[in-house]
Each structure stands twice: as structure tokens, then as C-alpha cells.
Amino acid sequence: MSSDITKPQEITLQGIPASPGIAYGKVFVYIQSSVEVPHYKVDESKREAEEARFDQALVSTRQQISKIQNEVSTNIGPEEARIFDAHLMVLEDQALLAETIREFEATSENIETCFDRVSQHYIKAFSEIEDEYLRERAGDVRDVAQRVLQNLLGQTKTSLSQLAGEQIIVANDISPSDTVSMDRMEALAIVTDSGSKTSHAVIMARSMKVPAIVGTHDLSSKATNGDWALIDGYAGVVILNPSESTLFRYGKIREEKESLESQLLEANKEPSITLDGVAVTLQANIERVDEVGLINDYNADGVGLFRTEYLYLNNDHIPTENEHLEAYRTVAEALAPRPLIIRTLDLGGDKTIPGNPHLFPKESNPFMGFRAIRFCLEHQEIFKDQLRAVLAASVHGNIKLMYPMISGADELAQANAVLSECKVELRERGVAFDESLEVGMMIEIPSAAATADILAEQCDFFSVGTNDMIQYLLAVDRVNDRIAHLYEPTHPAVLRTLHHVIKEAHQRDLPVSICGEMGGDPILVPLLLGLGIDALSMSPPQIPQVRYLIRLMTMSDAQQLAEEALKMSSPEAIYQHCQKFYKERMERFAS
Ligand code: PEP
Ligand code: MG
């Protein structure tokens, strides 16, 4: 075909499939990096204006930092607000400012270039100092310099939602705080160089039915804005500059998939009961209040996990008690009498509030660091606002409370003690709440799994967060694409741990659910049910395929599958065993 000669070559790349769907559109390359600094010469006649522009940017930056400092002081505390003194000091640093002006006078280059050059020099000098305190000043200079540059360039902090619009986002990485505005950005698909199936940005994409592929290594440096790309989120394939015949082929695949999906949606109206008459609870994981409509759309038995940290990520301030209350009440009322399990704040790990180094200091191992309940027990004012709101909302529906990342009995006791204090405070205020509010905890840390018998005495239910549990059990960072192949949900250690937790919980009449991604994977669902899991909570669009399978299997077969799997030693062999079980029942839908 002669017209193909001028067309760019089709390039196919394999990544990790992370959210199903097929998309075709223009690429938007999103690199999370520092501000891009333009370079140009400034005319002699404009020198004064250029210096005035610099002064104005410094004033604006000072105002912005002071505003943040005041907010932090009111919302969190004066101690935490003090970090910004260091930032304000950078703005007073005569050496830095005077040197910028000297550089400008000597070179006539635009003030951004001069300021960037001088501040980079300072950052480098500070970061090479041995003294830890002085070394940390490099970070302060970097933060402030970014802000000054943004002000000089007239950029408010750009968010993905402002940039993308109906395009395929190709990024080196996307943070959960980027994805909070994902509904507004109307992305056709998301492709990231790094990340994994359980990165939080990907979990969000799945809920929103945005196709996603992760682990494409260096695609964001190969692709350019405006390239055309075809994304196959089922197989994890990215095709840059697809040919006509590729587009035609994928058009057919898309039609088939869409037809299967609509059949599944139709069947999703039926109850989730196995062929031998066992009803299985299928719940939804949600991240935002406006996702509550998905519960009805996908016929879910309530919400098994409300990841409330998105209330923090979606906000320019720490939510107030009333804002929490409003959110929980809205969801609880919409669901009642179906349950709403509200998980308390799980910030940290890959979910931090950008620009808040005072709350989330940089850590070498964030997933093993200052996260979730650890953060809450240290910032009790933030935690208590949330707990009081959950309690107050509990009269408006069927609410249950759940703590994330509990590592042992002491931590659970501490969290429960804070909850008791909140109850006392509400009684004093005369605010009604459900006195018998059920309180559960997530089993995500191996130490919690190992002490399930002790923990079961102090709470009402367990929900296993397999996303984290697998990463901690196997020492495989859940967002590191280089070792994604080692992240094996069917590792015997995972099965044995689940088996142990379920046994200890059931002996004490505690129900156990799964709310990690494993619970929405139809290939693994029979294994989980066979092991004795009482409920599954998943991203809403995964419910139809899970329900469909449940209606084609018997619980006794699932129990046999689990028994056999527990005797096997190879993760791969266990996976294949599960896959065989699945395929035999789902022949038409297996791919
Ligand atoms: C999990 O760890 O499995 C879980 C459900 O919590 P998150 O993915 O929010 O860490
Ligand atoms: Mg978790």
C-alpha cells in the first residue's frame, strides 16, 4: 500500500494489563517533573520590568506559603506549621536573590533561567553537605524554587485534568492524587511506565472503566504528544501508530467484548447463588461519594470498602468533621439497609497529599513507613474528626467501621481507645450514634494474620487486604513493575495465610471478607470461596463476571479446589489449577 510509506511505523509494546477495555486516540504524554523553564534574552529596555516580575513572583510565593502555613496551623497544629518557616526563609535569602539579579545583569537571560540556574546551584551545594540539617535545606530550596518558577511562568499547579481531555495518557507514573480528578479529565486510557495492577491509580481506573496498562518501561519517553495509539487493556498491549488492518482487527475484538459485557450485565440482575444453593455476598469497593450510583448499577450487596483517603486527596484542605459526616451520611442513606464499611484514613504509601512534607516526610520505604493507622494514631486530631463523623453518620444507615494496616493487638487496642474517647465526646455533645456499631479491621500485615486469634477477640470482623498482604508476605513492592512477576496471589504462603486467618476467625464466629484486587479476579474467586471467605468486595465493574461464574459453580467443587490447592507447592501450578476450574465453567467467556 503506497500510502503507508509516509505513515509512521506501527510499534507494538507489551505491558501488564491493568484495567480492561480497548481505546484508540491521540497520546498525551504526562511527565511528573519539575517546571519547564523557557530560555530567552531580555532586551535592555525591558530589564527593569523583568526585575519587577521577579519581585512580584517572590511576593506571590510568600503569600501562598503564608496561606498554607496558616491553614496547617489551624487544621493540624502550630508545630507542623513551623516547617514553612524554613520555606519563608528561603525567600528571604539575600544570597540567592541577589545572585539571581547579578546573573541576570551579567547574562541578560530571562529571569526564570537565572533563578533556576542559581537555585539549582544552591540545591546541589546543600545536598552535598554532610550535616543532615543543612542537607535537608536542599529540599526546602527545591520546593520554593518550583513555586517561584510557577509564579513567574503564570502557572498554577497543573493537574492532569486540565491537560488531558479525551486522550490516551502516557505517563512515567500517575499518583492517586492525579487520579482524583480522573472523571473530569475524561481520559480514554492510561498507560504508565511503572506501577502494577494494585497501584491505587490503576484501582481507580478500573472503577471508572478506563482501560489501563502498566509497566511499559520507557514508553513515555518514546511516545510524543499527538501520536496515535491503540490500547488493549485486556492483553496489556500498546500499539503506536496502528495500521488500518490493526484498527480493523481491534474494532472486531471491541465489538465482541462489548457484546459479552452487555450479556454479563444482563445476567448481573440475578442473585449470586452457587448451583448448590450457597448465596455469596458481593460488595463494592468505592473511593468517592459520587460512586455510590455504581452500587445499584452493578447490583452490589453494599460497600465492603470505602477508601476514605480520597476525601483527603480530593481536597485542598484536611476535611472537617462536618465534611466527613456529610460524605458518609450521603453514602449510608443511599445504600441502607445494605452495609457501608467505612475504612479509616489510609494515607501514606503511594497515597500522599502532594505538597505536604510536614505531614508526610520523605521516606525510603513508604509502604513500610508512616501509613494508615500509624499516621492516625500520631495525628489523633485528624483521626478523631473522622471517627466522630463515622459515629454520627451511623444513625443514618447500616455503617460499620474498619481500621487499615493493623499490625497487632496493641495497635488495635489504641485505635479502639481513641474510638471510645470519641463516643464520650459525642455523648457530651448530645449527638446520637449507633451504640453497637460494628468495628472491624483489615488483615494486611503478616503479623496481624499470625495473631488473628488474638485480634479476633477485639473486633467484629476481618477484611483481608490482599493487595498489601501479598506485598508484605512475599516482600514484593506492589507498585514496582520490575518485580511484578513475583507478585503472586497464588503463592502457597498466601493460601496458607488466608486459610489460617479464616480458621481462627470462624472459630470465634467472626466473618472474613476479601477487599483486595484478588477478590474481583474471577479466576481466583472459587479458590477464595473454597477456603471459606464469607464475602467478596471489589471494584464495581468486576461484579458481573464474578457473579456469572458463581452461578455456574458449586461450593463443594470450590472447596475441593481449595483443598487441592493447599497441598500444592508451585504458585504457577496453583494458578493453572484455578484457571482450569474457571475455564471449564466459563467456556464462552474465557479468553
Ligand atoms: C488492600 O491492601 O488489599 C486494600 C484493599 O487496601 P488498599 O489497596 O487501599 O491498600
Ligand atoms: Mg491496603
Side-chain angles (χ1 to χ4, degrees):
M1 285 193 285
S2 58
S3 63
D4 267 7
I5 295 170
T6 52
K7 273 183 111 184
Q9 212 195 343
E10 176 176 299
I11 304 172
T12 302
L13 289 136
Q14 182 67 53
I16 302 168
S19 175
I22 289 170
Y24 173 61
K26 275 195 179 164
V27 163
F28 173 81
V29 182
Y30 175 68
I31 307 285
Q32 283 178 316
S33 65
S34 39
V35 181
E36 232 177 267
V37 178
H39 301 282
Y40 54 91
K41 288 275 181 189
V42 175
D43 197 81
E44 183 78 36
S45 63
K46 297 199 176 126
R47 284 189 160 212
E48 220 169 289
E50 190 72 350
E51 289 189 24
R53 214 160 61 77
F54 186 43
D55 284 342
Q56 185 50 49
L58 295 175
V59 170
S60 305
T61 308
R62 195 168 299 123
Q63 284 166 346
Q64 288 160 357
I65 296 175
S66 299
K67 186 165 170 264
I68 299 171
Q69 186 171 41
N70 285 339
E71 278 174 8
V72 171
S73 182
T74 323
N75 293 334
I76 302 159
E79 190 60 37
E80 285 79 1
R82 222 156 282 147
I83 171 105
F84 293 102
D85 288 342
H87 285 199
L88 289 169
M89 266 161 57
V90 174
L91 284 171
E92 306 292 333
D93 188 332
Q94 279 316 310
L96 174 68
L97 307 185
E99 207 176 308
T100 302
I101 296 297
R102 268 200 303 278
E103 180 79 10
F104 172 58
E105 282 166 356
T107 63
S108 299
E109 286 176 298
N110 60 318
I111 202 78
E112 291 90 344
T113 301
C114 300
F115 177 70
D116 189 37
R117 190 175 298 140
V118 174
S119 53
Q120 289 301 339
H121 174 73
Y122 271 67
I123 293 166
K124 186 162 180 293
F126 274 124
S127 49
E128 284 167 357
I129 295 175
E130 269 204 25
D131 180 274
E132 196 183 333
Y133 171 78
L134 287 175
R135 222 177 31 239
E136 278 177 9
R137 289 215 58 210
D140 296 332
V141 179
R142 190 180 295 113
D143 280 6
V144 174
Q146 289 282 305
R147 210 174 265 283
V148 171
L149 286 171
Q150 277 177 332
N151 282 319
L152 275 170
L153 296 167
Q155 295 176 349
T156 43
K157 201 178 169 313
T158 38
S159 77
L160 211 42
S161 62
Q162 292 161 293
L163 300 170
E166 302 237 335
Q167 299 189 69
I168 290 167
I169 296 167
V170 173
N172 51 352
D173 195 9
I174 293 185
S175 70
S177 61
D178 283 322
T179 51
V180 291
S181 50
M182 205 136 77
D183 53 340
R184 273 168 275 138
M185 85 194 176
E186 294 169 345
L188 294 177
I190 295 177
V191 184
T192 60
D193 294 346
S194 55
S196 78
K197 279 183 184 181
T198 62
S199 346
H200 284 100
V202 163
I203 292 174
M204 288 281 286
R206 248 189 321 262
S207 297
M208 298 169 67
K209 299 195 75 173
V210 174
I213 296 174
V214 297
T216 52
H217 305 302
D218 56 355
L219 179 63
S220 71
S221 55
K222 280 192 188 140
T224 30
N225 279 344
D227 277 351
W228 287 89
L230 195 143
I231 304 303
D232 176 358
Y234 299 98
V237 172
V238 181
I239 304 174
L240 283 178
N241 314 312
S243 66
E244 294 293 324
S245 64
T246 304
L247 286 176
F248 180 76
R249 186 158 50 87
Y250 270 94
K252 285 266 169 245
I253 296 177
R254 191 183 195 156
E255 260 172 40
E256 277 165 29
K257 295 279 185 193
E258 281 174 2
S259 142
L260 290 181
E261 270 165 29
S262 60
Q263 286 177 55
L264 283 176
L265 262 185
E266 197 48 42
N268 195 44
K269 294 172 184 153
E270 304 294 331
S272 67
I273 298 182
T274 60
L275 290 175
D276 49 354
V278 182
V280 179
T281 304
L282 300 182
Q283 296 177 318
N285 293 347
I286 61 168
E287 281 86 34
R288 299 189 325 240
V289 174
D290 59 14
E291 284 178 322
V292 71
L294 297 177
I295 311 309
N296 286 338
D297 294 351
Y298 289 99
N299 191 15
D301 303 315
V303 167
L305 169 65
F306 183 4
R307 287 186 167 97
T308 59
E309 47 278 8
Y310 287 85
L311 298 174
Y312 298 75
L313 295 176
N314 219 354
N315 227 321
D316 58 3
H317 62 277
I318 303 281
T320 63
E321 187 174 333
N322 267 335
E323 285 168 336
H324 278 293
L325 174 56
E326 193 50 38
Y328 305 148
R329 186 184 165 146
T330 308
V331 181
E333 282 178 348
L335 290 188
R338 290 166 295 180
L340 163 62
I341 300 181
I342 301 177
R343 177 177 78 180
T344 58
L345 177 59
D346 180 4
L347 282 177
D350 64 344
K351 289 177 288 194
T352 53
I353 311 179
N356 282 271
H358 54 292
L359 284 179
F360 298 99
K362 217 171 166 27
E363 297 178 289
S364 316
N365 285 308
F367 273 111
M368 290 207 279
F370 191 49
R371 216 195 131 174
I373 199 72
R374 301 168 181 182
F375 173 91
C376 287
L377 291 174
E378 208 157 293
H379 290 287
Q380 289 201 10
E381 286 319 304
I382 296 179
F383 191 32
K384 285 175 101 177
D385 277 345
Q386 181 172 36
L387 291 179
R388 282 190 300 260
V390 173
L391 284 165
S394 64
V395 293
H396 298 287
N398 181 5
I399 287 182
K400 299 170 204 260
L401 178 75
M402 178 161 78
Y403 305 124
M405 298 286 297
I406 295 286
S407 63
D410 282 355
E411 218 163 31
L412 178 57
Q414 280 177 53
N416 277 335
V418 181
L419 181 66
S420 299
E421 280 174 33
C422 292
K423 289 184 178 175
V424 172
E425 286 159 15
L426 287 185
R427 282 190 201 105
E428 279 168 8
R429 284 196 216 159
V431 175
F433 60 89
D434 174 5
E435 292 280 351
S436 54
L437 175 85
E438 282 187 28
V439 179
M441 56 163 277
M442 293 191 66
I443 301 271
E444 305 181 271
I445 304 184
S447 58
T451 52
D453 55 330
I454 307 171
L455 295 164
E457 303 295 341
Q458 292 179 38
C459 67
D460 300 307
F461 62 90
F462 287 154
S463 187
V464 186
T466 48
N467 302 340
D468 278 314
M469 200 187 75
I470 296 168
Q471 79 162 339
Y472 296 132
L473 211 48
L474 307 184
V476 178
D477 181 346
R478 67 190 263 189
V479 297
N480 185 342
D481 58 299
R482 278 202 70 182
I483 47 171
H485 60 290
L486 298 176
Y487 188 95
E488 291 171 312
T490 48
H491 194 291
V494 176
L495 269 57
R496 287 177 190 200
T497 304
L498 286 170
H499 182 61
H500 170 76
V501 170
I502 295 166
K503 184 171 74 97
E504 296 299 335
H506 283 179
Q507 271 174 15
R508 291 160 183 83
D509 283 336
L510 238 68
V512 185
S513 63
I514 297 265
C515 62
E517 293 308 295
M518 204 177 164
D521 183 339
I523 294 180
L524 303 178
V525 159
L527 174 66
L528 296 173
L529 294 176
L531 285 168
I533 284 295
D534 301 288
L536 300 163
S537 193
M538 63 200 80
S539 161
Q542 292 175 316
I543 292 177
Q545 48 179 356
V546 170
R547 185 188 309 266
Y548 198 89
L549 171 72
I550 284 171
R551 292 177 56 79
L552 291 175
M553 61 172 242
T554 64
M555 192 58 88
S556 58
D557 282 352
Q559 282 159 350
Q560 197 190 327
L561 171 75
E563 247 173 63
E564 287 159 4
L566 278 169
K567 290 187 198 128
M568 296 166 79
S569 56
S570 144
E572 180 57 31
I574 298 174
Y575 187 80
Q576 279 173 11
H577 202 42
C578 293
Q579 205 170 30
K580 184 164 166 277
F581 184 102
Y582 169 84
K583 281 191 171 166
E584 280 167 6
R585 285 151 187 85
M586 292 274 296
E587 279 191 74
R588 275 176 61 207
F589 291 92
S591 55

